[in-house]
Amino acid sequence: MNYNPYVNVQNVMEEARKTGGIDRRFFDVIKHPQRETKVYLPVEMDDGEVRVFEGWRVQHSNIRGPFKGGIRFHQDCDLDEIRALSVWMSLKCAVVDIPFGGAKGGVRVNPSELSRRELERLTRRYTFAIEPLIGPDKDIPAPDVNTDAQTMAWVLDTYSMLNGRPCPGVVTGKPVELRGSRGRASATGKGVVISTKLILARSGLKLPDVSVTIQGFGNVGRYAAKAFHEQGAKVVAVSDISGVLYDADGLDIPSISEFAKTKAPLSTFNDGHAEHLSVGDIFAVPCDVFVPAALENQIDETTAAVLKCSYVIEAANGPTTEAGDRILAERGIQLVPDIFANSGGVIVSYFEWVQNIQELTWERDRVTDMLDDIMSRAFGEVLEEMARSSCSLRIAAYIVALKKLVYAEEIKGIFP
Ligand code: GLU
């Protein structure tokens, strides 16, 4: 069965609405995106052929601030996935209380099959297609799965060309040389580690007390592994689509990170210590903390039953299905939900945007300290809601976010 992430997020929102006693009237506004745009993108390939790619930009809500959210390139992208991701962005920005709404963009493409020049042409054509929708005070894209600072540099340049002036605030997660923020690339990974520290502290534990498994070694997984390793946690397994590296005594994360920079598959890494397992084995690795940092729907009824961990920290968006959630709860596995656990990226995107607007550049330590402050305060609010509503952390985070969104809708009223 194909599990639909948009149905997932709608169901969880509905459960949170009931649990949190949120009025149905304005909640229905938040259930649906404000605007969904589909684009067709003709691109001239290096061999002279023309291919037409499908893309989307879904703008869920701008009630709390400009639409905000990444752009992903993936062969399985579809409208319902982008819709779900746009809703999660609105919830994420609301739960940590930064002044953005939510949006998401995507192009259905397997970027590993395109040359760098082809990817640049595709990115510029996509930017041209959504140009009327985006802007520093309208909708601000950022990196997501298979996109990075280079992709943002192309978006920024195309948008600035079309507008006849430099517009650094139109994207976040851009290179520091183009007024990106220090600490943005590592921010989601760092936020995942902050989330882990916050949940462990409730049981009197610290990072050096735990072992960690990370599924996915992209923008998020790689930096999370680095931050876990630097702060004394033992990273025992990491994986990408090619396979799993495992060492019960702890992997050599600096070497693996260096190796992964070349984009070589982890299955070809060999340092004489790390054991190779097949991709699906990642779920059965014994550890304290399991970090899904890949795609949606990874922890379902089957994989939730085999996990050998005490905590799940959702670094990816939507990695757990509703059935997976139920099984984790039955097994007493504590979960920090995506809309909080991976919010570090968009929080530092917010800092980047603020620096761009004010024509300022902040030091890395300032960025890191402010990230820690925002997440710690928001976690406190979610814990209070959890106690008040006797619910899971996920439902508590949704209630905190939905209350802000629904209340904003209510006091604004419905136009016209
Ligand atoms: N793509 C990231 C996310 O899903 C970051 C979005 C942003 O910085 O706007 O949260």
Side-chain angles (χ1 to χ4, degrees), residues 6 32-38 55-61 67-70 78-87 89-90 101-106 126 130 133 139:
Y6 188 48
H32 306 100
Q34 288 180 18
R35 186 188 283 129
E36 304 177 343
T37 305
K38 167 99 189 255
W56 298 266
R57 183 78 184 165
V58 175
Q59 297 175 316
H60 171 256
S61 168
F67 297 109
K68 183 84 190 83
D78 64 25
L79 176 59
D80 274 345
E81 180 191 41
I82 302 298
R83 279 175 167 156
L85 289 160
S86 74
V87 179
M89 285 310 304
S90 297
K104 203 75 168 201
Y126 174 73
I130 63 165
L133 301 174
D139 182 353

Side-chain angles (χ1 to χ4, degrees), residues 185-186 188-190 192-193 212-229 235 237-239 253 257 260 266 291-294 315-316:
S186 55
T188 313
K190 278 198 186 134
V192 168
V193 176
V212 182
T213 290
I214 303 175
Q215 182 211 24
F217 214 59
N219 294 342
V220 179
R222 199 151 44 88
Y223 285 107
K226 188 165 173 271
F228 273 121
H229 179 79
V235 182
V238 297
S239 72
I253 293 300
S257 295
L266 290 183
V291 179

